[in-house]
Amino acid sequence: MVDCLNVTKLQGFVTPGKHIRGYTAEVYHGMSISSLLSYSYGAIVVQNDSSLSIETMSTAINDQLVNRLSFPWLSSTPIPRKRLALVGASSLTKAQGYLLAAASLNIAIVVFDEPSHWLSGNAYSHLREDFVPLDMAIDMGMAHRIAAALKRYQNSMEEKPIDGVMSFDERFHTIIAHVATQLDFKTSPPESVGLVQNKFKARQLDTNDFCRLVRSPEDLENMLSKDGPQLAYPLIIKPAKGWCSEGVWKVANEQELLEKVHLLWRESFTAWHGNEVVIETYVEGPEIDANIVLVDGEIVVFEANDDFPCTGDYNDKSGGRVQNFVETSNMLPSALPPYELQSVQQRLHELALAAGFRNAILHIEAKLRNSSCHYVKTDSDGLVDLELKTPATTTTQPKDVFLIEINPRAPGWQEVEATARTYGVCYYSISLLNALADKERIVSLSKPFLGGPQYHMQLLYVSVQKGGIYKFGDICKRVLQAPGQEHQLSAHVVKSTNLLEDGEEVLDPSTGQVYGTFIAIFLVISRTSRKEAMRIGNEIERLVREYTDGF
């Protein structure tokens, strides 16, 4: 019932796993309110609207209950409590949603991490069942060390067996897949996880364009020699094992190529991403963020949103903004025609299966080449959005899906929140259940709202434009309480998060090291139109820039 119109408060009366005996409507009609409460799942407080009758409002809420509880949410048999080992819980911002979802699914979490990790203390002990100190050094022995720690825990706690293992940290996914295999837990094949975590290897699933891997200046020199391939610029360069758009650039000529590749071989980069650099064709076309849930090889969730152009997509470098591929905005639902989204779904499903995935949640980024749509800046309001090409410029070339990357995980927490609110499908819960191979509950929780998305949503990322020390306080609060804007903006923002704190040092994004350079994230909605959500998001970003002096 999140963000349901006219609902002001919700209160649940039951806990996961509780058995409730049901009666016929006639029996309930004879009960007092106090007697009914013990048979109720929860209560909804409805906004007092004198313009509507109680019957009208009751009917509207009942319709929403049908719309939103459109999945098998009761079990005829008890669901046993399961236990997940969490290795690499990352930050509170990233982990909290998963940990709260675990509690709602009656899943106990045992955390294995550094002794000083934030989950080791009493402040967050309610989010986990136990904490086990573990050396988290990323080295050749890490998988063996994790497996040994889990075995020791299993032997010492026989009455509390561990049923699966997972991690929220991007760097550990392949290692965790190996650990799960060693301990006979259900998991995606380590070979599949390792393949897609290497962007060059993943590209071989879909070799429809130029792509090369260089590991050293000698490799680069050989590629650029007269005997090498004829390069067609622009090209994209990026670490083969990268994340968060770190070190991703578009280069227009050989001079830029040499400059940017050598930047990726700095020690500060190779320490995180290694020395393998991918050089590949830059592809035009609308970019898509797609999320797929597979059960026994079949899609039970496919959801795609529009990933708006980054500064690096534009050829004009005169605007003063750093040209990179840090996220700017996503829009849910997508504005692409249904037949194009169907083509995307079909091709990405083929690629996921080709990579070896059968039971998984995957976050996939792709471009649709020769789409009927393109991004255009409108004259009326200056907003950039997808529009159909005019008949004179619409291409007759076949449309094809260009794979950018497959991530063997759910999307980032901000997109998980956006999808859960917009469609009613929560990837926090599905990820946990996937680690336990609980297919029945995955299928149940993969049902979106019957009526489709409840609004248009813009997932707005505001990132820094220069390096320095952040000193602007709670920017979300300042923006949403801006004089004259208090109601107009806050009424359309369902969630916002500050990602920088005062005194925090931020690297200049021109270095390519862009992890941790978002100032804030806003989930902006409109029940009226996509354009309205975008206009409000545009004003929010303008205010952030104003209040941070262009930081």
Side-chain angles (χ1 to χ4, degrees):
M1 301 300 286
V2 170
D3 297 339
C4 182
L5 275 175
N6 298 320
V7 171
T8 60
K9 187 177 181 181
L10 297 162
Q11 181 62 56
F13 296 158
V14 296
T15 56
K18 181 178 179 180
H19 178 264
I20 291 193
R21 183 180 178 184
Y23 293 99
T24 63
E26 288 75 14
V27 172
Y28 291 130
H29 277 304
M31 291 185 182
S32 64
I33 289 291
S34 58
S35 298
L36 274 171
L37 291 180
S38 61
Y39 299 100
S40 299
Y41 296 103
I44 300 169
V45 178
V46 181
Q47 183 177 341
N48 184 15
D49 188 339
S50 57
S51 65
L52 297 174
S53 67
I54 292 175
E55 290 77 11
T56 299
M57 296 192 74
S58 178
T59 299
I61 293 299
N62 282 332
D63 288 344
Q64 282 299 320
L65 285 168
V66 171
N67 181 34
R68 291 161 182 260
L69 294 178
S70 57
F71 62 94
W73 54 283
L74 293 174
S75 172
S76 58
T77 57
I79 298 172
R81 182 171 174 82
K82 292 296 182 74
R83 191 164 282 99
L84 265 178
L86 173 58
V87 182
S90 195
S91 66
L92 175 62
T93 300
K94 182 181 288 189
Q96 190 171 29
Y98 288 98
L99 297 173
L100 293 174
S104 76
L105 293 165
N106 199 23
I107 297 171
I109 298 291
V110 179
V111 179
F112 292 76
D113 217 309
E114 293 284 1
S116 60
H117 193 272
W118 58 271
L119 271 168
S120 65
N122 292 329
Y124 299 103
S125 60
H126 62 287
L127 295 175
R128 43 84 173 167
E129 183 179 79
D130 203 354
F131 184 91
V132 181
L134 180 66
D135 176 6
M136 296 294 288
I138 303 176
D139 53 31
M140 295 296 291
M142 188 175 192
H144 175 76
R145 195 165 59 248
I146 295 171
L150 267 63
K151 286 179 181 177
R152 285 195 300 272
Y153 188 84
Q154 293 271 53
N155 293 334
S156 65
M157 304 287 285
E158 291 185 7
E159 74 283 4
K160 295 183 177 181
I162 290 176
D163 303 290
V165 59
M166 68 182 301
S167 178
F168 304 151
D169 194 312
E170 194 95 13
R171 299 169 297 168
F172 302 151
H173 290 324
T174 303
I175 294 170
I176 293 300
H178 280 290
V179 171
T181 301
Q182 289 181 40
L183 300 179
D184 201 28
F185 295 145
K186 299 296 184 182
T187 182
S188 293
E191 298 78 14
S192 300
V193 178
L195 185 154
V196 299
Q197 284 211 291
N198 184 304
K199 292 177 173 56
F200 180 74
K201 292 179 180 178
R203 170 64 61 242
Q204 310 317 303
L205 296 169
D206 191 28
T207 54
N208 56 0
D209 283 276
F210 171 83
C211 183
R212 292 291 186 275
L213 183 71
V214 295
R215 298 182 175 89
S216 66
E218 291 74 27
D219 285 351
L220 184 58
E221 184 178 332
N222 290 336
M223 191 191 76
L224 296 174
S225 70
K226 62 181 180 180
D227 298 324
Q230 189 67 34
L231 300 183
Y233 293 94
L235 295 168
I236 287 288
I237 68 164
K238 57 190 177 184
K241 296 181 180 178
W243 51 83
C244 298
S245 300
E246 285 242 304
V248 182
W249 280 291
K250 181 170 72 170
V251 295
N253 51 55
E254 184 174 314
Q255 179 182 344
E256 291 184 3
L257 175 65
L258 289 165
E259 174 194 341
K260 298 303 186 185
V261 172
H262 282 284
L263 277 176
L264 294 184
W265 283 328
R266 290 173 296 161
E267 185 179 351
S268 57
F269 246 98
T270 58
W272 281 87
H273 303 297
N275 65 337
E276 293 187 339
V277 176
V278 176
I279 301 172
E280 64 181 4
T281 301
Y282 174 79
V283 171
E284 299 283 355
E287 187 167 332
I288 301 151
D289 267 14
N291 299 302
I292 294 178
V293 178
L294 295 175
V295 172
D296 293 331
E298 297 298 322
I299 291 179
V300 295
V301 173
F302 176 82
E303 171 254 325
N305 59 70
D306 298 325
D307 193 349
F308 273 53
C310 304
T311 56
D313 286 303
Y314 296 103
N315 295 323
D316 181 14
K317 301 184 180 182
S318 60
R321 298 187 68 177
V322 174
Q323 305 289 115
N324 61 29
F325 288 86
V326 171
E327 299 277 8
T328 57
S329 171
N330 290 59
M331 288 297 304
L332 295 75
S334 172
L336 289 172
Y339 71 91
E340 292 193 358
L341 290 173
Q342 182 61 39
S343 296
V344 172
Q345 176 176 334
Q346 179 180 335
R347 183 57 182 148
L348 296 186
H349 188 197
E350 292 170 355
L351 292 170
L353 294 177
F357 292 102
R358 290 190 54 79
N359 293 283
I361 175 168
L362 305 172
H363 175 63
I364 307 179
E365 298 177 15
K367 282 194 171 186
L368 185 60
R369 189 162 27 196
N370 304 322
S371 170
S372 62
C373 299
H374 61 164
Y375 282 98
V376 178
K377 189 172 185 177
T378 59
D379 295 330
S380 57
D381 50 23
L383 295 175
V384 173
D385 197 6
L386 277 176
E387 291 187 2
L388 285 170
K389 297 174 182 176
T390 60
T393 60
T394 300
T395 178
T396 57
Q397 293 176 286
K399 298 166 179 58
D400 69 277
V401 177
F402 176 82
L403 176 68
I404 297 175
E405 61 185 35
I406 300 177
N407 297 283
R409 56 165 175 78
W413 64 266
Q414 62 284 344
E415 195 169 314
V416 175
E417 296 276 353
T419 299
R421 289 172 177 272
T422 304
Y423 297 101
V425 175
C426 181
Y427 298 133
Y428 291 139
S429 298
I430 291 173
S431 297
L432 296 164
L433 295 171
N434 183 63
L436 294 168
D438 189 337
K439 298 177 185 179
E440 183 178 352
R441 284 204 284 178
I442 291 173
V443 172
S444 293
L445 293 177
S446 294
K447 303 291 191 294
F449 297 146
L450 281 181
Q454 65 170 321
Y455 37 49
H456 296 275
M457 175 178 283
Q458 181 187 45
L459 174 49
L460 176 66
Y461 302 85
V462 187
S463 59
V464 304
Q465 299 181 92
K466 57 188 177 183
I469 305 296
Y470 185 79
K471 57 180 181 181
F472 306 100
D474 187 340
I475 201 64
C476 294
K477 184 176 181 179
R478 288 188 66 188
V479 166
L480 297 179
Q481 295 181 0
Q485 301 275 16
E486 297 92 332
H487 178 70
Q488 181 183 353
L489 297 183
S490 61
H492 291 274
V493 175
V494 294
K495 187 178 181 67
S496 62
T497 304
N498 289 285
L499 297 174
L500 292 177
E501 297 181 358
D502 281 352
E504 193 168 342
E505 184 176 3
V506 182
L507 291 174
D508 194 292
S510 63
T511 64
Q513 292 176 253
V514 295
Y515 180 74
T517 59
F518 288 117
I519 299 173
I521 289 176
F522 297 84
L523 303 188
V524 186
I525 68 162
S526 170
R527 299 182 192 271
T528 303
S529 70
R530 177 177 168 110
K531 286 288 186 186
E532 182 182 51
M534 293 174 63
R535 282 195 296 270
I536 293 166
N538 194 53
E539 176 61 13
I540 288 172
E541 181 169 8
R542 186 192 70 77
L543 288 170
V544 173
R545 301 296 179 203
E546 177 184 327
Y547 292 157
T548 60
D549 298 329
F551 189 79

